[in-house]
Amino acid sequence: MDAIKKKMQAMKVEKDNAMDRSDACEEAARVAKVRAEKAEEEVAELVKKAQQLETELDITNERLSIVTMQLEEKEKALMAAEAEVNALNRRVQGLEEDLEKTEERLLLANQKLDKAATAADDSERMKKVLENRCIEDEKRMAQLEEQLKDARNQA
């Protein structure tokens, strides 16, 4: 009987140990379950965040595409404007060259005009001198004709 009692006590101790281990395992299982639930919640939140980030990424990519197209259009417009500015600069250069040539021609024309004006003034002076000589010569001729008439009449 002692052996049975000892065996019963050993079995009871074994049962208590098994129950303690069972309680510890159940507690560990509960803790693990709570951790698993928290991990699942975190995973769900992370999945939700990932979806939000994917949505934001899609929106951002769309915006990037739009902005890229706008940038390309602006670059094309800039290139066109630069080409126009270059064309206008070339035109301005051409006009400046034409202006220089025209100014040179104007200068030459003014010099010729000055020479012509001087020549005209000289001609005008010469005309007056010659007219005065002509008048004097006519007076002298008239005087000489009268002297000739007087000399004929006296002779």
Side-chain angles (χ1 to χ4, degrees), residues 3-131:
I4 293 176
K5 266 187 181 176
K6 279 186 184 178
K7 191 148 189 170
M8 288 281 282
Q9 279 181 350
M11 283 174 76
K12 186 178 177 192
V13 167
E14 239 179 86
K15 177 191 134 202
D16 287 341
N17 285 342
M19 287 301 280
D20 287 342
R21 278 190 312 238
S22 172
D23 288 342
C25 284
E26 285 177 0
E27 184 61 31
R30 269 188 242 123
V31 168
K33 192 175 185 181
V34 167
R35 274 196 325 225
E37 287 174 357
K38 284 183 182 177
E40 286 176 5
E41 288 175 5
E42 286 179 12
V43 166
E45 287 178 23
L46 289 174
V47 166
K48 187 177 178 183
K49 274 188 179 179
Q51 288 173 344
Q52 287 175 344
L53 288 174
E54 286 176 0
T55 304
E56 288 176 10
L57 177 64
D58 291 342
I59 291 171
T60 304
N61 282 335
E62 287 177 17
R63 287 182 186 163
L64 176 63
S65 298
I66 292 169
V67 169
T68 301
M69 285 190 281
Q70 290 173 343
L71 177 62
E72 288 173 357
E73 290 174 7
K74 296 291 182 184
E75 286 175 345
K76 287 178 185 176
L78 175 64
M79 288 169 60
E82 285 176 348
E84 186 176 344
V85 165
N86 289 336
L88 290 173
N89 282 336
R90 285 191 301 275
R91 183 170 179 220
V92 165
Q93 271 183 330
L95 290 174
E96 286 175 348
E97 289 172 2
D98 288 347
L99 176 63
E100 287 177 13
K101 289 177 184 176
T102 304
E103 286 175 344
E104 288 175 10
R105 286 193 311 239
L106 176 63
L107 182 62
L108 290 174
N110 281 334
Q111 289 172 350
K112 287 180 182 178
L113 179 64
D114 288 343
K115 286 180 183 178
T118 304
D121 288 343
D122 290 345
S123 294
E124 187 67 30
R125 271 190 247 117
M126 190 56 114
K127 175 185 141 190
K128 285 182 182 177
V129 167
L130 292 176
E131 282 177 351

